[in-house]
Amino acid sequence: MGLIQKSQLKSPWVLHFDCGSCNGCDIEILAALTPKFDLERFGIVNIGDPKQADVLLVTGPANKRNHRVLKNLYNQMPQPKLVIAVGTCACTGGVFHNCPNVLGGVDNVVPVDVYVPGCAVRPEQIIDAVVLALNKLAGLAQSEEEE
Amino acid sequence: MAIYGQTLVALTVGLPVVSGLASLVLPGKTIRSVLVSVTALVLIGSSVSLLGISEFTYNPGHIYETAVLVLDFALLFYFLYVGMKSKSLPVIGLSLLQLVPVAYFEFVLHGVKVENILLVDRLSVFLVLIVNVVGSVVVVYALSYMEEHEHHLQLKESRQGRFFFFMLLLLGAMNGMVYSNSLYWLYFFWEITSLCCYELIRHDGTAEANTNAVTALWMALIGGVAFIGTMFVGYYTVGSIALTKIMTAQLTPILLVGFAFLALAAFSKSAQFPFHSWLLGAMVAPTPVSALLHSSTMVNAGIYLILRIAPALKGTYLSLVIAAVGAVTFTLTAILAIRQKVSKRVLAFSTIGNLGLIIMCAGINTSLSYTAAVILLFFHSISKGLLFMGAGVVENRINSRNIEDWEGLIGKLPFTTTVMLVGMATMFLPPFGMLLGKWVAVDAIISTPLAFALPIIILICIGSAATTFFWGKWLGYLTVTPMTAQKQVKETLPTPYRFAMMGLLAVSIVFSAGAPYIINNFVNPLIGEAYKLSVTSTLMEVNTGIGSFLVGPFWIATVAMVLLGVMITKKKGGVIVPAYLGGENVPEKPLMFFTTADGEAEASVSTVMLQSEIDEASLNKFAVIIGVLLIIVMFLVEVI
Amino acid sequence: MALNTSTIISIVFLAAMPFLGGILMGVDRRLTARMQNRMGPPLIQPFYDVLKLWAKEPYIANNIQPLMAFMYLGFAMLAASFVAFQLDLLLMLFTTALADICLIVAAFSAKSPYSYIGGRREFLVMLSYEPVLLLVEIAISLVTGTFIIKGIRAYETPLLLLLPAAYVVMQVVLVVEMKKSPFDVSGSAHAHQELVRGVYTEFSGYTMALVEVGHWVKVVTMLAIVGLFWAPNPFIGTALALALFVGAILIDNVYPRLSWQRMLKTTWTIGFGLVIVNLLALSFGGVI
Amino acid sequence: MSKQTKGNKLTVFPYGPQHPVLPEPIQLKFVVDEEKIVDVLPNIGYVHRGIERAIELNDYRRNIYICERICGICNFMHGMAYTETIEKLTDTVVPVRASYLRTIWAELARLQSHMLWLGLFAESIGFESLFMQIWKIREIVLDLNERTGGHRIHLSTNRIGGVGKDMDANLISTYFKQLDKLQKNYDPIANLFHKDAAFKEKTQNIGILPKKIANHLGAVGPVIRGSGIPQDMRTTGYEAYGELDFKPITYDSEDVYARALVRVDETYQSMEIMRQALKQMPDGPILNKNEKFPEGTAIVRVEQPRGECFYYGIGNGTIHLERCKIRTPTMPNIPPLLHMLVGYEVADINPIVHSIDPCISCTERITYVNKEDA
Amino acid sequence: MPKLLGTIIRNLFSKPATVNYPFEASPLVEGTRGSISFNMDRCDQCQDCERVCPSAAIKVYPDDKKIEWDQFKCIYCHLCVETCMHKAITALDHVQSPDYKKSVTVFES
């Protein structure tokens, strides 16, 4: 069992969904994949297909139009799965907090495991967030084993 | 022993004719069913019994010879009548081209006398087996099919008597043909198959059916004319029209022209380029007709003729041209089949292509290639019969011949579709027999001189990839099922359907798995008559000396894999989730997605046809031109 | 069957094939990363991926799909065993086609437009590399006189010296087979494309793991065939195979994805053209 | 459509809102015949947040930040356009140095955006290593961004009446140095875009947008310049552009390749403009504070990386704007996009969609009418 | 000849451009806009920062002399730093780290 758990920690494939952000965080996520930051060091691949993804990176506030898309994508991801809210908007709505069409943070729609503040977030923060999320997954897997 | 053999010969030729006549005369569905079923059983039984008999000759007697003569003239006059009725110049012309020379040949030259009129050897027996087993199954299948068909057409008066008469007559004529040693008798039975073919194609009586039937007829009549050419050549060079005499005679250019005539006849019957259009037109007939024409009878007549004369042509240029015609046909039809929409047209192109492959193998004319040809012939008949029967059932169920409507058929007609899927797999995938044949064919090609083999190698490479393509995409399209966990649909089928399809399926699988046995016991003895043996097969393996096909281990591995796969996937199980649709799935509706203004749209898929890439019209034209050119070359090479 | 040394070696080789494939994929990802001036994942990353996928919650598209995914791996292994036990090369090719068909049926059966178009493209991939590979194999056996690998290995002259063009053609075949740019039309390992994941779109969890391993095995099988080009010395053969492997990665990194029409044109013209020229040269040279 | 394809069953599939090639949610419903695109229907609104309404609700001084976050890529230009609008409404004169700084940073943003686009475009055509290469170089621009404004993406240096940060001599020399480094690294990539045969094959003769139709459908920015029409808002001479020497870049081949080349050349152009501006920039104040409340109407048009951006503001003398209408460049480019797509293959979807450089978060604001006021 | 070939081969034999971030520090640029900190001794609860904050991340409770700063709502624009007349807000250059839960930093005198 140890081997599989280790694999889960070593190979988080991410799915990125833009929920209505300003693009700042999106391009930083992409930037995190590029040579300077190279998320692939951690086995991270931007897979783009919810059915094969482990980590859902959400940017931007949930709004009245796209919350169903977010929900759908989350439901199409098999367990174990993690959700990381990337950016201030995804955490709370941020600068869009009083926009009429915005529901607020994405935790209104799907359960969020890690919140990353920043507008826009820096690639280093994304790396930190993934490490945090994986720690949480490790904790989860351990507690399951105890049961 | 001889008596026993002669009885079986008489049975296989006479019984279908008699029971066919009976079905024409006797009314009633039950009587007909019983009659046909019994005939089928007897035919299967007697053809299997024939396997135990070694070579013998047989002269039926004067009365039969006279009868053949009279009937032949009657037949030719009928063709003339048909030509006049349908105002078809080719039919009239070709009928006259036969009538006059035959009359001259018979009444002036008295050339039809032959010592051994009938000759039963391994090749005949093998062909009889194919004709009767597959043919009988198709005829039984037709019992159910024609009921549904006539119900569908809402006919007031049943025309099934006529239908089964010609079906059975076709079987009888085929049997008679493969026994014939006299070219005249061969020619006579040949013309009867043409007649049956004509009558069966126009069975439904629509305008399209009539036109296509006439086309089929005049193309078949070209074969008849070619036969007469051979008869004259035989008479003037060898002094006899017995096949055995002609084949053993010293090859002279004139004699080769005679063989070229026979090859031409074979091409016209086997629908090789440029004669492929009649077989495509024959699709208008009820499906059992197609099943019969494509699998075991009609087209096999041409193959039989080529296989029969091939040993005499060893090492001639004529043989190479025959191979070239086959190879070109194989490749071009495989490409054309990709873009066909009508299910039966795909099957038809596949038939033409596979016949081309067999003719190519016969033309290459080595021991190995001849083996390949026989294996291919055997398995092709079974698989194609199966596929046509499946296609017929589907057609009657969903009222469409368009394969675009076949999407996800496995959910609607699980039994028939499974039969079809396996049937398709037997056509092009290992470890089934057709692929074994193709594999032997490739081995055969590389053991021939390169200068000649290279173009054929390239044609085969392209052709077999295209074959995989068009079968595979069709096979895949049948499995396109929506994502919901749906209830298993029960499919009810009449017994003849079930019997026919299950029977042929079982035959196909068992013989594929037992291919080494088949090769040892049926194919090799047949090869041994004309060639040195080159394929050795043990219980598990077929070895050509160039490669080895491990039939046994392959089957064991495949079966083990399926079992293991079922076990593991059962254990793992899984939750069925809707398809990926960009996250806009409509809840509870697996194939719908939200689109503009929150409207719902259905995600759909089309078939793969490469319609904009393959230009059928110009390819067809090209095929005809190259076919005509090759035939001209075929007659010219003798001069060299 | 008596267990002798060569049989044991064959069994070990067969069992090692998936692992070899995994390591090669790791090397591939590492090399690709380095070519892009990145550090890249650990070498055994592909194993992490597959193990993780295996343990994920099983999501399937329908009941046919998992079985077909398993059959894909199974037939890929069967094809590999033809190489491992030094049997018939031609049969190996047909078995590979069978594996491909299984993958495509799995993709088709999901009735998802993306995986369907991916499957359609996978057919075109087959259409483009199969005849060429068949021709190369025929060329090999025209030279050696046999399709059986054991016989090919017993041939004394290294094939590379006789069939240099066929070796070059194998590079094209390998690029297509490894699903690398410019011919990753049906679904590439990790690159994004218009079809999301193409033929892999509807696989998830253990079905994806099966397909992934199947792909590794197929790549190793193909490399093993390349190794035949210098059969007398297995080390040089391996080096030849690895050279093409690195070549494929290099090509992947310097080309964008081209259309399937282009793929078909390239493989057919290069494949048929070069092999025919090579064979004709050999024929005039009197070798065959 | 040709005769042959008539009556075939068609494939229908949604492209987006989540799609790995699209960083942003937009849905295009495609109807394809085998692989040929027959019809395409756009579905937008996934990023709609109601920013225009929020601008009306907020204190007008706070809106710079929300405007900047209309789009993270052209954030500086949105902030600039908004401040220009307010400056027009409040009759504020911007100091010369401030307008030069704005010009420099606007071009820096263009540089960043075009590099980002070139990378994304490379990835969309399956050229991952080129994507990595371009984005590696782009880090130089982001570095300059961070040195200037303290953040990699959002500069946030616009203030009403000028700019909030100045550049000292040290920073200016860094700019020159980094620009040279950037250009040196960028040359081989530009060379690739101009000359690589495979790249040409992938992008030439697809997504054709004839000059006439481009004009008719109102395309803007590199899209219309790729169709040979030299339309560039910078030539109107806002901020310091009037004093700088540049010409709009156009290509005549009307296809995806032309649009890519327009952007490739514009990166050089941006670098050149920045160098000119940095050299010509006078000393002086950078902020001119004005406490008036906005009144009247104003229209501002700036050239963003994606094309013309249009701001229309109505002030009523209070702390709130009466109305603020923003038309961003992607919106007018969507109808031309639909025209470009039909008739090409599925494989061409990515390059064609990316050729307009879609910025959906820019696009998605609908007109919001307050019932009580109307 | 593909134009990228030279670059690719050069890349292969040169050191990766990657900063191995969590294991080695990422070089921080001077003047990065990071978190903020309130110096409550200088603050006179004028609420200017609360008014200008574009995302309403700062809440000033003048009665309790307490400031709540929601670091998950803050957009790190440092407008408050610019605005504060008493220079009571310090701009830090380290960015806020991610967390499992959203939390609010409270500054009390």
Side-chain angles (χ1 to χ4, degrees), chain D residues 192-325:
Chain D
L192 181 146
F193 274 92
H194 275 285
K195 293 199 181 129
D196 192 73
F199 177 78
K200 277 187 188 170
E201 185 180 329
K202 181 75 186 177
T203 53
Q204 270 176 342
N205 294 321
I206 57 165
I208 298 218
L209 183 68
K211 200 170 181 171
K212 236 178 161 177
I213 293 173
N215 214 353
H216 181 68
L217 293 177
V220 294
V223 178
I224 200 164
R225 292 201 285 275
S227 291
I229 300 175
Q231 187 211 73
D232 190 335
M233 286 307 119
R234 287 177 292 177
T235 52
T236 60
Y238 62 90
E239 300 298 348
Y241 284 112
E243 294 159 34
L244 301 170
D245 178 33
F246 69 94
K247 265 202 194 105
I249 288 161
T250 57
Y251 275 86
D252 292 331
S253 60
E254 302 172 340
D255 53 7
V256 170
Y257 184 59
R259 280 162 233 148
L261 287 192
V262 165
R263 290 179 175 108
V264 171
D265 289 2
E266 277 186 10
T267 46
Y268 280 114
Q269 190 190 36
S270 287
M271 287 186 235
E272 200 41 53
I273 292 176
M274 280 169 77
R275 287 200 186 101
Q276 276 185 39
L278 283 165
K279 271 180 205 150
Q280 290 180 20
M281 187 166 61
D283 286 335
I286 54 162
L287 192 59
N288 184 5
K289 281 214 170 169
N290 188 344
E291 294 298 321
K292 251 173 86 180
F293 285 151
E295 198 161 12
T297 62
I299 289 172
V300 166
R301 299 155 87 185
V302 297
E303 182 73 13
Q304 285 190 345
R306 285 157 188 77
E308 174 201 347
C309 176
F310 171 98
Y311 269 68
Y312 171 60
I314 307 177
N316 52 7
T318 65
I319 199 161
H320 298 294
L321 283 176
E322 167 105 22
R323 180 81 186 88
C324 183
K325 168 77 192 129

Side-chain angles (χ1 to χ4, degrees), chain B residues 341 407 580 584 610-611, chain D residues 8-11 18 34 46:
Chain B
K341 254 187 192 180
E407 180 193 312
Y580 169 81
E584 270 290 37
L610 306 188
Q611 284 208 326
Chain D
N8 281 354
K9 207 169 167 181
L10 301 171
T11 302
Q18 188 276 323
E34 299 214 35
Y46 291 99

Side-chain angles (χ1 to χ4, degrees), chain B residues 339 341 404-405 407 477 580-584 593-598 601-616, chain D residues 2 4-20 27-30 32-36 41-44 46 345:
Chain B
R339 60 155 294 153
K341 254 187 192 180
E404 286 179 335
D405 299 329
E407 180 193 312
Y477 199 59
Y580 169 81
L581 291 171
E584 270 290 37
F593 62 92
F594 287 114
T595 173
T596 313
D598 283 356
E602 187 172 3
S604 67
V605 295
S606 60
T607 52
V608 186
M609 285 183 287
L610 306 188
Q611 284 208 326
S612 39
E613 279 77 16
I614 301 169
D615 183 358
E616 180 163 7
Chain D
S2 63
Q4 295 177 337
T5 55
K6 247 185 185 169
N8 281 354
K9 207 169 167 181
L10 301 171
T11 302
V12 181
F13 66 92
Y15 183 82
Q18 188 276 323
H19 192 287
Q27 190 193 53
L28 296 167
K29 181 185 137 192
F30 278 102
V32 297
D33 179 356
E34 299 214 35
E35 288 209 23
K36 189 167 243 152
L41 191 67
N43 179 15
I44 58 173
Y46 291 99
E345 299 252 316

